[in-house]
Amino acid sequence: EWSGAPKGANLHRNILFRDMVVPDSPVSYIDISREEGLWDWMTQQEKNGSTLLAIPHNSNASKLNMFNPNDSTGEPITKEYAQTRSHFERLIEMMQIKGNSEVHRKLWPADEFADFENADSVTKYSKRVLDKRNFVRWGSIEGLKHYEKLGVNPYKYGYNGGTDNHNGAMGDVAEDNYTGSHGVADKTVTLRRTGVIPQWIDGKDVTTGSLTGVWATKNTRSAIWDAMYNRETYVTSGPRIQVRLFAGEHLTTDHQDVKAMVKEGYKKGVPMGGTITGAKSAPIFNVWAVKDNIGANLDRIQIIKGWVDEQGQQHEKIINVSWSDKRQVNEQGNLAKVGNTVDLATAKYTNSIGSTMLMGSFTDEEFNPDLPALYYARVIEIPTPRWSTYDAVRENLPLLTDIAATIQERAWSSPIWFMPVAEQVH
């Protein structure tokens, strides 16, 4: 991990090597203070025979620096800057213990699922600010604007997840056995409810973290790295949900079998992380998700579309594609809530609502072949207890009044991009 933090702005990157051609020692923030210097160092490692990539994380605490239109010298980013960033940075972290970086309820009030693990208290420390420009959805769409101007998208990121757990418990993401994230700072129930992770976040706002799912051809280091480089990844907020997304002009929409959907998706379209270039007809999106086999059922699958208009203004739309319990969407495309089976007195829920698997198709009838766009899937579970509710029930304590007692865990696919013409990449 390169822990860049100019003036307390989180610009951390995790560096992953494809094989064992590695430097004698890692590079630190003491050695290199800004991301351009890190990329120069990575360029030198490539010359030495290494194959490596960098993953930015915790953009919600980046103080407007993660998706800054200017470089570290204050000059507008150039085509060369965009090419270098796109070459080395293939993924970005959607969520970790210090919060969900997709969206925030106060900045995306029209998104009914934007109230998930918002980690409000990160703004109480180190002069951090709550601003759309710190969030992954905004940055992803903003990259399309740079593509229009430079011919390259510097923020063409697939999505990944992690914990950033400071106890060395990388995959410890279950809500029902969470025991803290920062050693002595939140090791007890009392500290998790009333304490603070110094200069970072209130203990009660910490999440259990998230996981990365990778669609690789083999379970080997090199194959997994290649899939990450190709952005064929997805994120979950903890549950082992599986998600697949494909898009193409000539896909069929009546699949009943996921194997057939996948086979056709690779043959006639592109998977998550892929790019459609120069399509003239509306792309078709096929999406599938299955629940964690020991977890909660699924509420719905949505596709989030983002684009920029001729004036460079951002737009987005959320489409409900598949859902459980025979509900009906209204004329505005909205869907009734799935319900809630959580018993707050016992911190238990049932899978009497929701579905074990969902599959659906979406055709973008508003598609404009002259405008770049991106699309990613978001899978929502039925409500389940949050870790703070499990803590309260185990210790016979009242529920916290300013923290959600239940949450709807979720997964996000990497985007699929539409570009009118090919990018000018290395």
Side-chain angles (χ1 to χ4, degrees):
E1 181 177 359
W2 174 78
S3 299
K7 298 182 180 179
N10 193 306
L11 295 180
H12 296 192
R13 265 79 171 173
N14 294 109
I15 316 300
L16 276 68
F17 290 80
R18 188 178 187 272
D19 52 35
M20 292 306 294
V21 182
V22 297
D24 292 335
S25 61
V27 67
S28 76
Y29 181 47
I30 297 173
D31 303 312
I32 295 172
S33 61
R34 287 303 299 252
E35 61 275 19
E36 294 99 325
L38 175 66
W39 302 332
D40 289 342
W41 178 85
M42 295 177 71
T43 298
Q44 184 59 52
Q45 303 317 305
E46 284 190 328
K47 292 177 180 177
N48 295 342
S50 294
T51 304
L52 68 172
L53 56 78
I55 304 174
H57 72 178
N58 222 180
S59 68
N60 61 332
S62 64
K63 295 185 177 180
L64 309 186
N65 281 287
M66 189 64 78
F67 306 113
N68 197 321
N70 300 323
D71 63 21
S72 62
T73 69
E75 295 297 317
I77 62 175
T78 63
K79 178 180 177 181
E80 182 182 14
Y81 173 103
Q83 288 175 327
T84 302
R85 186 164 185 162
S86 182
H87 172 67
F88 284 121
E89 300 194 352
R90 313 292 288 184
L91 307 173
I92 193 167
E93 182 189 74
M94 183 68 86
M95 182 178 172
Q96 63 144 280
I97 55 176
K98 301 186 193 80
N100 163 25
S101 289
E102 183 201 13
V103 288
H104 191 287
R105 69 190 185 287
K106 293 181 180 178
L107 304 173
W108 276 268
D111 184 343
E112 66 178 306
F113 294 104
D115 60 346
F116 179 66
E117 298 293 6
N118 289 155
D120 290 347
S121 58
V122 295
T123 61
K124 292 169 58 176
Y125 307 100
S126 191
K127 298 181 180 179
R128 299 184 188 95
V129 296
L130 181 62
D131 192 294
K132 265 194 170 187
R133 293 170 289 178
N134 286 328
F135 288 85
V136 169
R137 186 187 294 175
W138 185 91
S140 296
I141 301 173
E142 190 70 4
L144 301 175
K145 187 186 300 185
H146 291 293
Y147 160 82
E148 290 277 73
K149 181 179 179 181
L150 303 172
V152 185
N153 181 352
Y155 309 141
K156 194 175 182 181
Y157 287 124
Y159 299 151
N160 86 305
T163 59
D164 203 9
N165 185 301
H166 288 220
N167 297 340
M170 292 79 67
D172 185 14
V173 292
E175 301 286 333
D176 62 358
N177 68 356
Y178 176 70
T179 57
S181 62
H182 279 73
V184 298
D186 60 352
K187 69 176 184 177
T188 68
V189 173
T190 299
L191 287 170
R192 290 195 287 275
R193 288 167 64 92
T194 63
V196 172
I197 309 301
Q199 293 305 306
W200 258 107
I201 188 173
D202 292 348
K204 62 189 176 184
D205 268 344
V206 175
T207 85
T208 62
S210 68
L211 299 175
T212 301
V214 181
W215 290 110
T217 55
K218 298 179 182 179
N219 189 19
T220 63
R221 173 173 173 166
S222 57
I224 293 170
W225 191 97
D226 290 344
M228 295 175 77
Y229 187 84
N230 293 331
R231 311 182 184 96
E232 199 167 351
T233 61
Y234 63 94
V235 192
T236 88
S237 59
R240 269 69 172 178
I241 300 168
Q242 295 182 48
V243 188
R244 304 219 72 154
L245 176 68
F246 293 89
E249 289 183 86
H250 307 295
L251 300 184
T252 53
T253 61
D254 58 351
H255 288 292
Q256 302 298 315
D257 175 66
V258 67
K259 291 183 179 180
M261 186 193 92
V262 170
K263 184 176 181 180
E264 182 195 60
Y266 282 120
K267 184 178 180 180
K268 297 183 179 180
V270 298
M272 63 179 77
T275 303
I276 300 171
T277 302
K280 300 303 180 184
S281 60
I284 296 166
F285 293 84
N286 288 332
V287 62
W288 166 91
V290 66
K291 69 182 284 292
D292 182 329
N293 62 4
I294 59 170
N297 281 347
L298 304 180
D299 168 2
R300 68 186 76 191
I301 302 176
Q302 301 176 313
I303 286 181
I304 288 86
K305 176 186 178 182
W307 73 99
V308 291
D309 61 24
E310 291 87 346
Q311 289 73 43
Q313 297 299 308
Q314 285 200 17
H315 300 273
E316 59 186 67
K317 185 174 183 179
I318 300 173
I319 303 98
N320 290 305
V321 175
S322 182
W323 52 89
S324 68
D325 298 292
K326 298 181 180 180
R327 290 168 286 167
Q328 300 292 321
V329 294
N330 62 20
E331 293 182 355
Q332 290 73 42
N334 298 322
L335 188 65
K337 292 185 181 301
V338 70
N340 191 330
T341 68
V342 176
D343 181 346
L344 295 178
T346 61
K348 294 181 179 180
Y349 70 94
T350 69
N351 276 327
S352 57
I353 57 174
S355 292
T356 59
M357 184 185 75
L358 293 171
M359 179 184 287
S361 296
F362 162 67
T363 302
D364 185 8
E365 302 296 352
E366 300 175 354
F367 172 70
N368 185 333
D370 298 321
L371 296 178
L374 63 85
Y375 308 79
Y376 67 91
R378 184 170 64 180
V379 183
I380 307 292
E381 275 190 358
I382 66 171
T384 53
R386 190 176 187 268
W387 67 258
S388 47
T389 299
Y390 284 111
D391 265 1
V393 170
R394 276 192 292 261
E395 299 297 322
N396 196 26
L397 295 169
L399 297 175
L400 295 170
T401 58
D402 54 351
I403 293 292
T406 66
I407 55 174
Q408 287 188 259
E409 304 264 28
R410 58 200 61 195
W412 302 263
S413 78
S414 286
I416 291 174
W417 290 267
F418 166 74
M419 301 295 189
V421 296
E423 285 189 274
Q424 302 169 28
V425 295
H426 287 304

